């Protein structure tokens, strides 16, 4: 009985955190209209998911549904088709417990460009985000979306930020939904810094020794 009570309390707190994510991203200008979606794994085969068709800065607990990892609705409002990219990450990366999807203006500009982040290294981004990957283009809400997501996360298992070519951004965390939100904020700042560095003649390229040194530092060695 106590375990059931604590689980219920944890779910309520998680829903409050998801609601706060929408408000936080809206305050920072990283949320556009009714776009975006957030999810949190709450069990081996269950996730909480924000419903589509609502401004995520204005939702309450009634707009957060429960679905299984096959996308079947367990309670709440029917999810949108773009739930597939969330499910693909949870199925392929069991360590991930939270995902935030949004369309932050600068990062979405990168999604619309041909910039690929290859050879890009910034110590703070390596620590706060982890890997950044750009997916291939896919038609939104189709089966192509989880397919390109799958290819990117298999290519780089350490990735925690996916820039969806022609679409938006996915950030995910093995900690909680607020951590995924922080990664989204950091990614937008990184994209802004890349724009500035390019305007100033191009970003500094870390050497292999410098990259290894940063990774060693973050690993606590």
């Amino acid at each position: 009985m106590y375990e059931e009570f604590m689980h219920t309390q944890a779910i309520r707190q998680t829903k409050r955190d998801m609601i706060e994510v929408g408000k936080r991203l809206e305050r920072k200008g990283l949320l556009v209209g009714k776009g975006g979606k957030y999810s949190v794994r709450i069990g081996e085969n269950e996730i909480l998911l924000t419903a589509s068709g609502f401004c995520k800065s204005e939702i309450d607990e009634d707009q957060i549904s429960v679905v299984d990892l096959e996308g079947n609705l367990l309670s709440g409002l029917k999810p949108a088709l773009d739930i597939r990219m969330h499910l693909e990450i949870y199925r392929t990366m069991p360590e991930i417990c939270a995902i935030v999807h949004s369309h932050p203006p600068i990062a979405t500009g990168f999604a619309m460009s041909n910039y690929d982040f290859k050879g890009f290294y910034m110590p703070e981004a390596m620590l706060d985000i982890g890997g950044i990957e750009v997916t291939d283009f896919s038609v939104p809400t189709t089966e192509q979306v989880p397919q390109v997501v799958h290819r990117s996360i298999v290519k780089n298992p350490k990735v925690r930020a996916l820039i969806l070519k022609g679409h938006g951004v996915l950030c995910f965390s093995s900690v909680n939904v607020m951590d995924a939100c922080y990664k989204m904020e950091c990614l937008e700042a990184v994209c802004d810094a890349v724009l500035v560095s390019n305007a100033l003649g191009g970003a500094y390229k870390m050497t292999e020794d410098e990259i290894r040194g940063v990774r060693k530092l973050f690993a606590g060695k």
Side-chain angles (χ1 to χ4, degrees):
M1 194 75 175
Y2 176 75
E3 290 182 355
E4 182 179 346
F5 170 77
M6 293 303 294
H7 182 63
T8 300
Q9 291 298 103
I11 290 177
R12 287 176 177 170
Q13 182 58 54
T14 299
K15 287 183 176 181
R16 288 193 287 268
D17 290 343
M18 294 172 74
I19 291 169
E20 177 58 28
V21 163
K23 294 179 179 178
R24 183 181 177 92
L25 292 182
E26 192 274 335
R27 288 196 300 268
K28 293 178 176 292
L30 306 181
L31 185 67
V32 180
K34 297 179 180 180
K37 190 176 297 295
Y38 324 131
S39 64
V40 177
R41 189 198 297 261
I42 57 171
E44 186 175 343
N45 192 42
E46 294 179 335
I47 66 171
L48 294 174
L49 179 77
T50 54
S52 60
F54 299 90
C55 179
K56 303 307 181 295
S57 65
E58 301 174 354
I59 63 172
D60 57 30
E61 293 187 18
D62 292 336
Q63 280 84 53
I64 299 178
S65 304
V66 180
V67 301
D68 65 20
L69 289 186
E70 298 304 316
N72 300 308
L73 181 65
L74 302 181
S75 67
L77 301 173
K78 183 178 179 180
L81 288 176
D82 62 1
I83 185 181
R84 293 168 178 164
M85 57 188 176
H86 290 244
L87 300 178
E88 184 60 41
I89 292 173
Y90 288 125
R91 288 193 293 255
T92 308
M93 308 177 80
E95 72 276 18
I96 295 302
C97 65
I99 302 171
V100 171
H101 167 55
S102 191
H103 309 92
I106 299 176
T108 300
F110 275 77
M112 302 300 293
S113 76
N114 290 317
Y115 192 86
D116 58 14
F117 285 91
K118 289 180 180 177
F120 169 80
Y121 291 97
M122 177 179 171
E124 291 78 9
M126 293 167 66
L127 174 63
D128 295 337
I129 301 176
I132 301 172
E133 292 287 335
V134 180
T135 71
D136 295 327
F137 178 81
S138 58
V139 178
T141 76
T142 69
E143 287 288 353
Q144 292 179 348
V145 180
Q147 290 170 3
V148 300
V149 166
H150 180 81
R151 286 198 293 270
S152 290
I153 59 182
V154 168
K155 172 187 174 184
N156 181 3
K158 293 184 179 181
V159 65
R160 292 297 182 268
L162 283 180
I163 296 181
L164 305 168
K165 177 69 73 176
H167 183 45
V169 176
L170 278 171
C171 288
F172 34 101
S173 170
S174 58
V175 180
N176 54 44
V177 70
M178 290 307 299
D179 184 61
C181 176
Y182 300 151
K183 286 175 171 27
M184 181 74 68
E185 295 174 19
C186 185
L187 179 65
E188 182 76 346
V190 165
C191 290
D192 199 6
V194 170
L195 288 180
V196 173
S197 66
N198 284 341
L200 296 175
Y204 172 72
K205 301 294 184 181
M206 294 170 62
T207 66
E208 288 299 320
D209 283 344
E210 290 169 337
I211 293 169
R212 280 193 293 270
V214 171
R215 286 175 173 164
K216 190 174 181 180
L217 174 65
F218 293 161
K221 299 178 180 179

